[in-house]
Amino acid sequence: MNELVLALGWVGIYSPMALGAVASAIGSGIAGQASIGAMVETEGGYGRYVGISAFPSTFVIYGIVVMFTLNREVTPENAGGLFGVGFLAGIAFLYCGIWQGRACASAINASKEKPEIFGLSLAPAAIIEGFAVFAFVFALVVSAGIAGGA
């Protein structure tokens, strides 16, 4: 049983980075597909479409920082905390990444028809980023209370 508990602790340490990378890849892929479609349908402004496609790439950065914050010796006493904080933060990053990619795709699609709303159309994606930042800060603060930290 201790082996399973220790394995879950290790999963908790590395899952924020892994799930953050998946979130960034999916979100950027969704937005990137919309960007490509917009470039085919418009005569200019390609840079802003490509730029907004990269917006969801921040989740892997959050995951890497949380991973390094959680990195410590895994013991039966701290494995549950490491798993809970790391895995759930990673799930939050994953969910935010997917939905931010969809929000960015919508912004791209809307702004190809009405370029003047480009900045305003990014507000939903920025709000979703805020939720990920909440999960990020929560994970950093809570990780300081898990036994075995530096």
Side-chain angles (χ1 to χ4, degrees):
M1 185 62 162
N2 265 357
E3 291 82 15
L4 175 61
V5 170
L6 295 175
L8 288 175
W10 286 109
V11 168
I13 290 174
Y14 297 111
S15 60
M17 186 280 306
L19 292 170
V22 171
S24 292
I26 292 172
S28 293
I30 291 168
Q33 290 171 338
S35 175
I36 292 166
M39 287 188 278
V40 169
E41 296 176 16
T42 60
E43 295 298 320
Y46 303 148
R48 66 181 173 182
Y49 299 142
V50 173
I52 199 59
S53 298
F55 200 28
S57 65
T58 56
F59 302 107
V60 70
I61 297 166
Y62 299 152
I64 289 169
V65 173
V66 172
M67 178 192 68
F68 282 127
T69 303
L70 292 172
N71 195 19
R72 65 199 70 202
E73 180 183 357
V74 179
T75 66
E77 291 76 29
N78 70 7
L82 293 171
F83 178 76
V85 171
F87 184 71
L88 294 175
I91 292 294
F93 298 152
L94 177 62
Y95 202 76
C96 288
I98 291 168
W99 284 98
Q100 188 179 69
R102 293 179 71 154
C104 289
S106 294
I108 290 165
N109 286 327
S111 66
K112 72 182 180 189
E113 300 296 324
K114 285 183 81 173
E116 65 274 11
I117 66 164
F118 180 73
L120 187 59
S121 69
L122 297 178
I127 292 167
I128 295 167
E129 185 81 19
F131 293 129
V133 170
F134 294 148
F136 174 67
V137 170
F138 173 81
L140 294 181
V141 170
V142 171
S143 69
I146 299 174

